[in-house]
Amino acid sequence: MRNKNRFAIIVVALIVIAAAGFAISRFFGGVSYAEGYLHEEENRMIYAKVTPVQEQSQIKVEVTDTYVEEKDSVPVLKTASYVYKGSAENGKLALTSAQQPAKPVEATVTADELVFQGPLEEGGEALPKLVASQDVAYQKQLAAMTARINEQAEVKKKELEEKQAKEAARVEFAKKVEKTDRLVADLVENSQYLTDLQFADEASLCQEQVTDMQGLLEEVKLYAEQPGLQQTEYAVMKEHVSAMEVLVDGIKAMDASIKDKKQRMSDIMSVIEADLAEVKATWEEIKTKGVPKPDERQKAQDKAVSTASEAITQAKQRMAAIDKQQASAGQKAAQLYSEANALLTKSKPK
């Protein structure tokens, strides 16, 4: 009796299970689903999970698209996720996007594959066929792809850094070559400016003024030596002495002009000396590192350096010479004026 009851219970349980299975199979269209569906390429992996939602008589589809993009030639892993809900009927899915509710998507599903009938996003491409896969296998393959892409990214980053360093060095080298050319040109130009600053006009004018004062003094002496100096002759003497005073003031006024020109010369010499030091240092740094036309550039630089050095030497000589000439002219003019003024003071007209 006890065995008969146990057998009856087992039979009832089997009937219940069969009925439930039949009900579920009909509820979900008679289709069983794989644990997941996977499509794998070298640089892309798409994984989807199809999950029945019994309480709402619906189906839920979650898609994870992991792909590679390049940024400055460096591969970067990106992930896009899509969630769909809808109904299932005999392996046909009518889905609506959770991200884009107005966008319906259709798909077909079996225990072996999942196929979307259209793109998952606006403007996208239709997904390839996804075949049945287990989560463990997907995670293992995803980890392998991630490790591979990260390794490639590190290699590319290193290559990019080396490339950028080489390019930076090339640009810096080109700048230094250009700099030496510019400095050579500046040396030639500034040397000419310095050479053009002469004191010939100032020296000539000083000499003319001293000569004029000597002439005036001679005339003053002639009048002073006359035994009977007339009033008109005395007036002429006085005018000559006044003219000599004007000439003395003119020589003194020329000091300001000479000082200004000397300052400009000093400024140019400072620039030339700085350029000389810089062009020599820069050239020593780059001349053996593949400078284009090195012999031609060396020759041009040597000539510019020689010209600049000579221009500085001559400028210093001119400055020293004009100082000496100006001092001599000033002393001579003061002496001539003093002598003429003394003769005027001693002379008494009738």
XYZ file of all heavy atoms in Angstrom, residues 39-132:
718
model
N 29.461 37.152 -30.576
C 30.153 37.318 -31.870
C 31.526 37.918 -31.563
O 31.623 38.931 -30.871
C 29.391 38.242 -32.813
C 30.175 38.557 -34.051
N 30.257 37.687 -35.113
C 30.932 39.636 -34.381
C 31.034 38.217 -36.053
N 31.448 39.399 -35.636
N 32.559 37.309 -32.094
C 33.917 37.754 -31.782
C 34.696 38.016 -33.062
O 34.707 37.207 -33.989
C 34.638 36.707 -30.933
C 36.025 37.140 -30.492
C 36.717 36.101 -29.626
O 36.223 34.943 -29.603
O 37.743 36.431 -29.002
N 35.359 39.185 -33.105
C 36.300 39.528 -34.158
C 37.640 39.834 -33.488
O 37.753 39.770 -32.256
C 35.810 40.746 -34.941
C 34.458 40.547 -35.598
C 33.935 41.823 -36.235
O 34.713 42.801 -36.340
O 32.754 41.857 -36.618
N 38.632 40.190 -34.287
C 39.944 40.468 -33.709
C 39.881 41.628 -32.718
O 40.462 41.576 -31.639
C 40.965 40.775 -34.801
C 42.356 41.042 -34.257
C 43.366 41.334 -35.353
O 42.958 41.397 -36.529
O 44.548 41.519 -35.027
N 39.162 42.693 -33.086
C 39.109 43.888 -32.250
C 37.674 44.255 -31.864
O 37.357 45.427 -31.665
C 39.777 45.070 -32.958
C 41.277 44.897 -33.080
O 41.922 44.329 -32.204
N 41.847 45.376 -34.170
N 36.822 43.237 -31.777
C 35.441 43.510 -31.382
C 34.822 42.257 -30.783
O 35.088 41.134 -31.240
C 34.621 43.982 -32.581
C 33.240 44.503 -32.189
C 32.482 44.976 -33.401
N 31.243 45.652 -33.039
C 30.317 46.035 -33.916
N 30.504 45.815 -35.222
N 29.221 46.632 -33.506
N 33.988 42.457 -29.773
C 33.307 41.348 -29.142
C 31.907 41.818 -28.747
O 31.754 42.811 -28.026
C 34.094 40.868 -27.916
C 33.619 39.533 -27.378
S 34.744 38.921 -26.087
C 36.209 38.601 -27.063
N 30.899 41.116 -29.243
C 29.508 41.461 -28.956
C 28.885 40.295 -28.194
O 28.916 39.146 -28.664
C 28.716 41.720 -30.248
C 29.425 42.774 -31.104
C 27.297 42.167 -29.924
C 28.867 42.886 -32.501
N 28.342 40.591 -27.043
C 27.741 39.553 -26.210
C 26.331 39.986 -25.815
O 26.099 41.141 -25.426
C 28.585 39.322 -24.958
C 28.158 38.123 -24.153
C 28.326 36.835 -24.648
C 27.590 38.270 -22.895
C 27.947 35.722 -23.913
C 27.208 37.170 -22.147
C 27.390 35.890 -22.659
O 27.006 34.800 -21.924
N 25.389 39.026 -25.935
C 23.994 39.337 -25.620
C 23.421 38.269 -24.699
O 23.783 37.080 -24.785
C 23.173 39.428 -26.898
N 22.518 38.701 -23.839
C 21.798 37.775 -22.947
C 20.309 37.973 -23.177
O 19.825 39.117 -23.204
C 22.151 38.040 -21.486
C 23.585 37.673 -21.129
C 23.874 37.947 -19.662
C 23.145 36.973 -18.747
N 23.675 35.588 -18.879
N 19.623 36.862 -23.374
C 18.167 36.884 -23.563
C 17.538 36.310 -22.301
O 17.783 35.141 -21.947
C 17.752 36.072 -24.799
C 16.232 36.100 -24.957
C 18.443 36.612 -26.041
N 16.713 37.117 -21.629
C 16.158 36.697 -20.334
C 14.636 36.807 -20.364
O 14.091 37.891 -20.598
C 16.700 37.592 -19.200
O 18.128 37.593 -19.257
C 16.235 37.085 -17.845
N 13.921 35.694 -20.137
C 12.456 35.771 -20.040
C 12.032 36.514 -18.777
O 12.661 36.374 -17.726
C 12.018 34.301 -19.979
C 13.213 33.516 -20.445
C 14.414 34.314 -20.046
N 11.000 37.322 -18.902
C 10.419 38.010 -17.750
C 9.013 37.445 -17.579
O 8.053 37.919 -18.196
C 10.392 39.535 -17.949
C 9.866 40.223 -16.684
C 11.778 40.040 -18.293
N 8.897 36.383 -16.762
C 7.645 35.621 -16.697
C 6.503 36.451 -16.160
O 5.382 36.380 -16.645
C 7.841 34.381 -15.825
C 8.879 33.409 -16.392
C 9.021 32.161 -15.527
O 8.081 31.786 -14.822
N 10.177 31.526 -15.603
N 6.804 37.261 -15.149
C 5.720 37.982 -14.505
C 5.011 38.920 -15.472
O 3.818 39.171 -15.363
C 6.258 38.793 -13.322
C 6.815 37.954 -12.190
C 8.242 37.473 -12.472
O 8.749 37.806 -13.554
O 8.814 36.760 -11.631
N 5.779 39.459 -16.431
C 5.179 40.446 -17.336
C 4.977 39.877 -18.734
O 4.619 40.593 -19.657
C 6.083 41.686 -17.417
C 6.306 42.357 -16.080
C 7.257 43.530 -16.189
O 7.632 43.921 -17.275
N 7.635 44.080 -15.042
N 5.197 38.566 -18.890
C 5.066 37.922 -20.194
C 5.902 38.640 -21.238
O 5.455 38.870 -22.372
C 3.580 37.893 -20.637
O 2.803 37.208 -19.703
N 7.117 39.016 -20.869
C 7.995 39.756 -21.762
C 9.369 39.099 -21.841
O 9.660 38.144 -21.115
C 8.159 41.199 -21.290
C 6.916 42.057 -21.496
C 7.188 43.506 -21.135
O 8.077 43.796 -20.346
N 6.430 44.411 -21.725
N 10.163 39.646 -22.755
C 11.534 39.194 -22.916
C 12.458 40.387 -22.742
O 12.109 41.518 -23.098
C 11.741 38.543 -24.305
C 12.941 37.578 -24.263
C 11.943 39.581 -25.388
C 12.558 36.242 -23.715
N 13.645 40.165 -22.196
C 14.637 41.228 -22.012
C 15.934 40.818 -22.697
O 16.406 39.699 -22.506
C 14.889 41.469 -20.527
C 15.917 42.546 -20.224
C 16.089 42.688 -18.716
C 17.129 43.739 -18.362
N 17.354 43.848 -16.897
N 16.468 41.724 -23.503
C 17.705 41.447 -24.222
C 18.735 42.524 -23.843
O 18.460 43.720 -23.982
C 17.504 41.442 -25.751
C 18.831 41.172 -26.454
C 16.472 40.385 -26.129
N 19.891 42.082 -23.351
C 20.975 42.999 -22.991
C 22.169 42.714 -23.905
O 22.617 41.569 -24.003
C 21.380 42.801 -21.540
C 20.250 43.076 -20.556
C 20.606 42.619 -19.154
O 20.473 41.409 -18.898
O 21.032 43.466 -18.347
N 22.656 43.746 -24.560
C 23.769 43.600 -25.501
C 24.943 44.451 -25.020
O 24.771 45.633 -24.699
C 23.375 44.035 -26.923
C 24.557 43.838 -27.884
C 22.168 43.235 -27.408
N 26.130 43.850 -24.980
C 27.372 44.578 -24.655
C 28.313 44.492 -25.845
O 28.729 43.399 -26.231
C 28.068 43.984 -23.410
O 27.153 44.016 -22.309
C 29.319 44.776 -23.066
N 28.599 45.644 -26.406
C 29.473 45.723 -27.601
C 30.817 46.316 -27.171
O 30.907 47.495 -26.831
C 28.803 46.600 -28.662
C 29.567 46.570 -29.982
O 30.627 45.924 -30.056
O 29.107 47.224 -30.954
N 31.838 45.508 -27.162
C 33.191 45.957 -26.797
C 34.033 46.020 -28.070
O 34.180 45.003 -28.769
C 33.841 44.990 -25.794
O 32.964 44.844 -24.659
C 35.187 45.525 -25.322
N 34.564 47.198 -28.364
C 35.270 47.380 -29.635
C 36.488 48.279 -29.419
O 36.687 48.853 -28.346
C 34.346 48.001 -30.687
C 33.708 49.289 -30.258
C 34.259 50.524 -30.613
C 32.558 49.290 -29.468
C 33.677 51.711 -30.202
C 31.968 50.468 -29.058
C 32.532 51.671 -29.423
O 31.961 52.849 -29.007
N 37.293 48.391 -30.457
C 38.537 49.148 -30.374
C 38.462 50.381 -31.268
O 38.048 50.301 -32.423
C 39.752 48.282 -30.798
C 41.037 49.113 -30.775
C 39.888 47.082 -29.877
N 38.850 51.523 -30.699
C 39.028 52.750 -31.473
C 40.466 53.220 -31.309
O 41.120 52.900 -30.320
C 38.076 53.851 -30.982
C 36.639 53.644 -31.394
C 35.772 54.846 -31.032
O 36.294 55.781 -30.364
O 34.582 54.841 -31.399
N 40.939 53.965 -32.297
C 42.298 54.488 -32.220
C 42.273 55.981 -31.927
O 41.496 56.723 -32.528
C 43.058 54.239 -33.535
C 43.474 52.799 -33.717
C 44.484 52.637 -34.839
O 44.807 53.643 -35.499
O 44.933 51.496 -35.057
N 43.133 56.376 -31.001
C 43.310 57.785 -30.676
C 44.786 58.096 -30.797
O 45.597 57.611 -30.010
C 42.808 58.083 -29.263
C 42.903 59.557 -28.883
C 42.336 59.811 -27.505
C 42.411 61.292 -27.150
N 41.893 61.551 -25.784
N 45.133 58.887 -31.812
C 46.545 59.166 -32.102
C 47.315 57.873 -32.324
O 48.422 57.691 -31.817
C 47.187 59.979 -30.962
C 46.569 61.348 -30.809
O 46.106 61.892 -31.819
O 46.539 61.856 -29.683
N 46.672 56.951 -33.056
C 47.235 55.652 -33.423
C 47.330 54.686 -32.240
O 47.845 53.578 -32.386
C 48.621 55.805 -34.075
O 49.629 56.083 -33.114
N 46.836 55.069 -31.073
C 46.865 54.196 -29.891
C 45.499 53.523 -29.752
O 44.470 54.207 -29.677
C 47.183 54.988 -28.609
C 47.131 54.075 -27.393
C 48.546 55.652 -28.725
N 45.441 52.157 -29.722
C 44.151 51.476 -29.586
C 43.555 51.674 -28.188
O 44.255 51.591 -27.185
C 44.502 50.008 -29.832
C 45.953 49.888 -29.481
C 46.566 51.209 -29.838
N 42.250 51.950 -28.177
C 41.540 52.173 -26.909
C 40.267 51.340 -26.917
O 39.503 51.357 -27.885
C 41.195 53.667 -26.719
C 40.454 53.866 -25.405
C 42.449 54.526 -26.769
N 40.028 50.591 -25.851
C 38.810 49.787 -25.739
C 37.617 50.667 -25.382
O 37.690 51.488 -24.472
C 38.983 48.707 -24.673
C 39.615 47.376 -25.107
C 39.708 46.445 -23.921
C 38.807 46.727 -26.223
N 36.526 50.477 -26.124
C 35.280 51.186 -25.844
C 34.171 50.160 -25.627
O 34.230 49.054 -26.162
C 34.908 52.098 -27.008
C 35.943 53.170 -27.317
C 35.871 54.308 -26.324
C 36.787 55.451 -26.716
N 36.692 56.601 -25.802
N 33.173 50.541 -24.868
C 32.058 49.642 -24.608
C 30.741 50.391 -24.781
O 30.575 51.493 -24.249
C 32.120 49.056 -23.185
O 33.341 48.331 -23.031
C 30.951 48.113 -22.938
N 29.834 49.779 -25.548
C 28.482 50.324 -25.700
C 27.500 49.267 -25.200
O 27.651 48.072 -25.500
C 28.208 50.678 -27.152
N 26.525 49.715 -24.429
C 25.538 48.783 -23.868
C 24.143 49.155 -24.366
O 23.791 50.343 -24.450
C 25.576 48.821 -22.335
O 26.851 48.403 -21.864
N 23.357 48.138 -24.684
C 21.994 48.333 -25.174
C 21.059 47.406 -24.394
O 21.391 46.244 -24.124
C 21.887 48.007 -26.657
C 22.898 48.741 -27.507
C 24.131 48.152 -27.807
C 22.645 50.019 -27.989
C 25.065 48.813 -28.574
C 23.578 50.690 -28.759
C 24.786 50.088 -29.048
O 25.722 50.746 -29.798
N 19.907 47.920 -24.027
C 18.894 47.133 -23.316
C 17.582 47.227 -24.078
O 17.129 48.334 -24.432
C 18.703 47.636 -21.861
C 17.615 46.822 -21.173
C 20.010 47.530 -21.094
N 16.963 46.041 -24.352
C 15.702 45.992 -25.091
C 14.707 45.151 -24.305
O 15.086 44.182 -23.625
C 15.901 45.375 -26.471
C 16.743 46.225 -27.392
C 18.137 46.112 -27.374
C 16.161 47.140 -28.246
C 18.914 46.897 -28.199
C 16.929 47.925 -29.088
C 18.311 47.805 -29.061
O 19.064 48.579 -29.880
N 13.461 45.522 -24.430
C 12.377 44.729 -23.857
C 11.298 44.567 -24.918
O 11.114 45.416 -25.781
C 11.802 45.415 -22.615
C 12.751 45.415 -21.429
C 12.088 46.031 -20.200
C 13.045 46.000 -19.005
N 12.413 46.590 -17.788
N 10.598 43.441 -24.828
C 9.533 43.210 -25.801
C 8.923 41.844 -25.634
O 8.994 41.224 -24.563
N 8.375 41.346 -26.717
C 7.681 40.059 -26.673
C 8.407 39.046 -27.538
O 9.171 39.408 -28.441
C 6.235 40.231 -27.165
O 6.246 40.706 -28.517
N 8.158 37.754 -27.262
C 8.766 36.661 -28.023
C 7.659 35.724 -28.495
O 6.767 35.340 -27.720
C 9.762 35.916 -27.151
N 7.725 35.358 -29.751
C 6.723 34.461 -30.317
C 7.406 33.556 -31.326
O 7.835 33.992 -32.388
C 5.592 35.256 -30.993
C 4.489 34.387 -31.577
C 3.707 33.668 -30.483
O 3.611 34.227 -29.353
O 3.215 32.560 -30.731
N 7.533 32.249 -30.947
C 8.144 31.260 -31.827
C 9.530 31.683 -32.326
O 9.848 31.569 -33.512
C 7.241 30.979 -33.027
C 5.916 30.363 -32.605
O 5.878 29.529 -31.683
N 4.829 30.763 -33.261
N 10.310 32.204 -31.404
C 11.682 32.580 -31.746
C 11.817 33.935 -32.403
O 12.921 34.351 -32.750
N 10.731 34.643 -32.576
C 10.786 35.990 -33.134
C 10.595 37.003 -32.009
O 9.645 36.894 -31.233
C 9.714 36.176 -34.207
C 9.944 35.307 -35.441
C 8.886 35.580 -36.495
C 9.133 34.738 -37.739
N 8.101 34.987 -38.792
N 11.522 37.943 -31.952
C 11.496 38.937 -30.887
C 11.088 40.300 -31.449
O 11.649 40.764 -32.449
C 12.872 39.050 -30.231
C 13.510 37.753 -29.739
C 14.873 38.052 -29.106
C 12.599 37.046 -28.745
N 10.121 40.914 -30.808
C 9.732 42.293 -31.133
C 10.148 43.153 -29.950
O 9.556 43.064 -28.869
C 8.234 42.387 -31.386
N 11.169 43.954 -30.166
C 11.811 44.651 -29.063
C 11.721 46.170 -29.204
O 11.601 46.688 -30.312
C 13.291 44.247 -28.982
C 13.574 42.747 -28.899
C 15.062 42.493 -29.077
C 13.070 42.185 -27.576
N 11.800 46.808 -28.047
C 11.858 48.272 -28.009
C 13.061 48.684 -27.176
O 13.277 48.157 -26.078
C 10.582 48.869 -27.391
O 9.467 48.451 -28.161
C 10.647 50.404 -27.405
N 13.827 49.656 -27.677
C 15.037 50.093 -26.992
C 14.708 50.896 -25.740
O 13.832 51.760 -25.761
C 15.890 50.952 -27.935
O 16.933 51.583 -27.232
N 15.415 50.590 -24.662
C 15.255 51.373 -23.435
C 15.869 52.747 -23.606
O 15.439 53.716 -22.975
C 15.907 50.644 -22.263
N 16.906 52.865 -24.479
C 17.538 54.161 -24.714
C 16.752 55.000 -25.725
O 16.668 56.214 -25.608
C 18.979 53.965 -25.240
C 19.938 53.406 -24.213
C 19.995 51.880 -24.257
O 19.132 51.237 -24.841
N 21.007 51.317 -23.610
N 16.162 54.318 -26.710
C 15.388 55.012 -27.742
C 14.017 54.342 -27.844
O 13.795 53.479 -28.702
C 16.098 54.939 -29.099
C 17.527 55.475 -29.081
C 18.220 55.298 -30.428
O 17.819 55.902 -31.426
N 19.261 54.477 -30.450
N 13.107 54.712 -26.953
C 11.811 54.015 -26.871
C 11.043 53.968 -28.187
O 10.265 53.046 -28.415
C 11.048 54.835 -25.818
C 12.132 55.490 -25.018
C 13.235 55.772 -25.971
N 11.241 54.953 -29.054
C 10.474 55.002 -30.297
C 11.069 54.121 -31.375
O 10.516 54.007 -32.462
C 10.382 56.443 -30.797
N 12.218 53.491 -31.109
C 12.914 52.710 -32.113
C 12.682 51.221 -31.872
O 13.274 50.637 -30.978
C 14.406 53.018 -32.107
C 15.208 52.204 -33.121
C 16.661 52.594 -33.089
C 17.489 51.668 -33.973
N 16.996 51.629 -35.348
N 11.850 50.566 -32.681
C 11.649 49.124 -32.542
C 12.747 48.336 -33.241
O 13.318 48.793 -34.227
C 10.300 48.892 -33.221
C 10.233 49.970 -34.260
C 10.961 51.159 -33.690
N 13.076 47.172 -32.701
C 14.077 46.291 -33.292
C 13.511 44.872 -33.283
O 12.939 44.431 -32.288
C 15.399 46.338 -32.496
C 16.387 45.306 -33.051
C 16.009 47.709 -32.562
N 13.711 44.175 -34.393
C 13.269 42.793 -34.484
C 14.477 41.876 -34.484
O 15.557 42.248 -34.957
C 12.442 42.573 -35.747
C 11.119 43.342 -35.740
C 10.301 43.077 -36.992
O 10.826 42.393 -37.900
O 9.150 43.531 -37.049
N 14.283 40.664 -33.962
C 15.364 39.695 -33.922
C 14.775 38.296 -33.944
O 13.583 38.089 -33.670
C 16.218 39.896 -32.678
N 15.603 37.326 -34.272
C 15.217 35.913 -34.181
C 16.203 35.225 -33.260
O 17.385 35.553 -33.243
C 15.245 35.240 -35.561
O 16.556 35.324 -36.108
C 14.253 35.916 -36.513
N 15.672 34.243 -32.520
C 16.518 33.573 -31.537
C 16.198 32.091 -31.482
O 15.039 31.685 -31.631
C 16.365 34.219 -30.145
C 14.963 34.028 -29.604
C 17.396 33.659 -29.183
N 17.248 31.301 -31.335
C 17.116 29.871 -31.071
C 18.091 29.543 -29.945
O 18.790 30.421 -29.442
C 17.459 29.037 -32.321
O 18.849 29.186 -32.598
C 16.622 29.473 -33.519
N 18.165 28.282 -29.619
C 19.131 27.881 -28.593
C 20.557 27.997 -29.096
O 21.499 27.998 -28.304
C 18.843 26.444 -28.162
N 20.715 28.149 -30.420
C 22.061 28.193 -31.012
C 22.505 29.568 -31.473
O 23.705 29.841 -31.540
C 22.142 27.236 -32.205
C 21.896 25.798 -31.788
O 22.416 25.416 -30.729
O 21.187 25.085 -32.532
N 21.551 30.464 -31.792
C 21.985 31.747 -32.347
C 20.961 32.841 -32.099
O 19.784 32.582 -31.861
C 22.258 31.620 -33.853
C 21.022 31.283 -34.669
C 21.336 31.159 -36.156
O 22.484 30.799 -36.480
O 20.432 31.408 -36.977
N 21.458 34.070 -32.185
C 20.625 35.267 -32.058
C 20.977 36.182 -33.212
O 22.152 36.500 -33.431
C 20.894 35.966 -30.724
C 20.276 37.356 -30.524
C 18.748 37.266 -30.503
C 20.790 37.991 -29.225
N 19.943 36.606 -33.956
C 20.187 37.444 -35.136
C 19.270 38.660 -35.080
O 18.038 38.518 -35.051
C 19.947 36.672 -36.447
C 20.224 37.584 -37.655
C 20.814 35.434 -36.504
N 19.849 39.856 -35.051
C 19.077 41.099 -35.103
C 18.799 41.445 -36.562
O 19.684 41.316 -37.427
C 19.850 42.234 -34.428
C 19.874 42.139 -32.927
C 20.900 41.451 -32.282
C 18.873 42.705 -32.155
C 20.938 41.349 -30.906
C 18.906 42.614 -30.773
C 19.945 41.920 -30.140
N 17.577 41.909 -36.818
C 17.185 42.224 -38.185
C 17.564 43.642 -38.618
O 17.442 43.995 -39.784
C 15.653 42.061 -38.330
C 15.155 40.701 -37.903
C 15.823 39.580 -38.700
O 15.929 39.661 -39.923
N 16.282 38.542 -38.003
N 18.024 44.433 -37.695
C 18.404 45.804 -38.016
C 19.449 46.307 -37.035
O 19.803 45.615 -36.071
N 19.949 47.527 -37.245
C 20.970 48.090 -36.350
C 20.397 48.403 -34.974
O 19.210 48.688 -34.831
C 21.418 49.363 -37.074
C 20.252 49.735 -37.935
C 19.626 48.447 -38.362
N 21.283 48.387 -33.982
C 20.848 48.662 -32.613
C 20.736 50.152 -32.324
O 20.096 50.549 -31.356
C 21.835 48.032 -31.621
C 21.957 46.500 -31.673
C 22.902 46.029 -30.591
C 20.595 45.835 -31.537
N 21.360 50.975 -33.151
C 21.319 52.416 -32.919
C 21.124 53.151 -34.232
O 21.388 52.611 -35.307
C 22.624 52.885 -32.257
C 23.859 52.564 -33.058
C 25.147 52.983 -32.355
O 25.055 53.798 -31.427
O 26.209 52.514 -32.754
N 20.662 54.377 -34.156
C 20.412 55.190 -35.330
C 21.712 55.396 -36.102
O 22.705 55.842 -35.552
C 19.828 56.543 -34.912
C 19.182 57.316 -36.057
C 17.904 56.655 -36.523
O 17.174 56.086 -35.679
O 17.634 56.697 -37.731
N 21.672 55.068 -37.382
C 22.864 55.257 -38.196
C 23.878 54.151 -38.075
O 24.929 54.180 -38.718
N 23.607 53.126 -37.240
C 24.556 52.035 -37.068
C 24.388 50.963 -38.122
O 23.556 51.055 -39.034
N 25.181 49.904 -37.983
C 25.113 48.785 -38.898
C 24.439 47.599 -38.215
O 24.493 47.457 -36.991
C 26.521 48.390 -39.354
C 27.249 49.480 -40.124
C 28.644 49.040 -40.539
O 29.045 47.924 -40.155
O 29.309 49.813 -41.239
N 23.817 46.750 -39.026
C 23.196 45.552 -38.469
C 24.258 44.645 -37.871
O 25.344 44.486 -38.431
C 22.426 44.816 -39.562
N 23.965 44.069 -36.714
C 24.933 43.202 -36.056
C 25.057 41.882 -36.792
O 24.095 41.394 -37.392
C 24.521 42.945 -34.613
C 24.518 44.133 -33.654
C 24.189 43.659 -32.249
C 25.860 44.829 -33.644
N 26.233 41.283 -36.746
C 26.382 39.951 -37.321
C 25.662 38.913 -36.455
O 25.178 39.206 -35.368
C 27.899 39.736 -37.301
C 28.382 40.599 -36.184
C 27.479 41.800 -36.192
N 25.634 37.705 -36.941
C 24.994 36.619 -36.200
C 25.771 36.338 -34.911
O 26.989 36.270 -34.917
C 24.950 35.364 -37.051
C 24.257 34.170 -36.374
C 24.502 32.901 -37.175
C 23.929 33.031 -38.579
N 24.092 31.750 -39.328
N 25.031 36.210 -33.789
C 25.631 35.853 -32.508
C 25.317 34.395 -32.220
O 24.159 33.962 -32.371
C 25.080 36.726 -31.380
C 25.650 38.159 -31.254
C 25.163 39.045 -32.393
C 25.255 38.768 -29.912
N 26.324 33.624 -31.848
C 26.131 32.193 -31.592
C 26.182 31.926 -30.095
O 26.735 32.708 -29.322
C 27.208 31.354 -32.318
C 27.097 31.536 -33.826
C 28.603 31.735 -31.837
N 25.605 30.811 -29.714
C 25.483 30.472 -28.297
C 26.849 30.392 -27.620
O 27.820 29.899 -28.190
C 24.742 29.140 -28.150
